[in-house]
Amino acid sequence: MAAPADHHGVPVRPAWPIWSDPPASRRPARSIDDVLAEARSRLVRLTVGQARRASTEHGAVLVDIRPAAQRVAEGELAEAVVIERNVLEWRFDPASDARLPYAAYDLEVIVVCQEGYTSSLAAAALQELGIWRATDLIGGYAAWRAATEDRA
């Protein structure tokens, strides 16, 4: 009996179980702390002051990846372009049809999330695409807001 197919004739795998045994090439399990540490080991993370200077003096692109609800609840980062996390790689990959007009492999991108965790993973993902100057903001939007309040 042939495997079921979708409407394009592509074979469809059964929904469950996907695997009966782990694949032989499976990486050992790691905690999110391990994954985060590995991502950060490749980044030159920036303080708020460094990020401000990079943006204003060197044209670095600040990217706020927080979801809309979080931006509404916590506040907007006026200096940043908003690109939610779920489409970040497509917008900055110079080879993508969905790229931003200024996407480039040597573009300096500073990713901002709420507290500086998700942004580290996102910046590392951009580096995986070859955007070698991608990094993130230490402490995220919360640090930016606190620094802004301290300046006032």
Side-chain angles (χ1 to χ4, degrees):
M1 176 176 198
D6 69 7
H7 66 281
H8 296 291
V10 176
V12 177
R13 295 178 67 177
W16 189 261
I18 296 173
W19 294 283
S20 56
D21 294 311
S25 62
R26 184 175 159 255
R27 290 173 65 161
R30 300 186 301 163
S31 72
I32 188 59
D33 290 335
D34 294 336
V35 172
L36 182 63
E38 192 277 325
R40 286 180 172 171
S41 74
R42 301 185 331 234
L43 303 175
V44 179
R45 302 183 74 217
L46 302 179
T47 64
V48 172
Q50 291 169 325
R52 277 193 177 115
R53 281 190 302 282
S55 175
T56 59
E57 296 173 15
H58 304 288
V61 178
L62 286 170
V63 182
D64 190 343
I65 63 169
R66 297 175 299 148
Q70 197 168 43
R71 293 190 314 273
V72 168
E74 300 294 331
E76 297 282 337
L77 181 54
E79 298 87 343
V81 60
V82 173
I83 302 174
E84 291 193 16
R85 176 67 189 97
N86 63 322
V87 295
L88 182 70
E89 290 88 344
W90 285 268
R91 299 297 184 258
F92 281 100
D93 179 359
S96 169
D97 290 340
R99 70 186 172 277
L100 294 166
Y102 50 85
Y105 292 112
D106 64 347
L107 183 65
E108 187 172 359
V109 179
I110 305 166
V111 184
V112 181
C113 67
Q114 184 60 32
E115 294 182 351
Y117 295 93
T118 303
S119 58
S120 294
L121 299 175
L126 290 177
Q127 286 188 351
E128 288 288 323
L129 295 174
I131 304 153
W132 59 277
R133 295 171 70 193
T135 191
D136 76 324
L137 177 66
I138 298 168
Y141 175 77
W144 188 284
R145 184 177 61 206
T148 301
E149 290 170 355
D150 289 345
R151 292 171 72 187

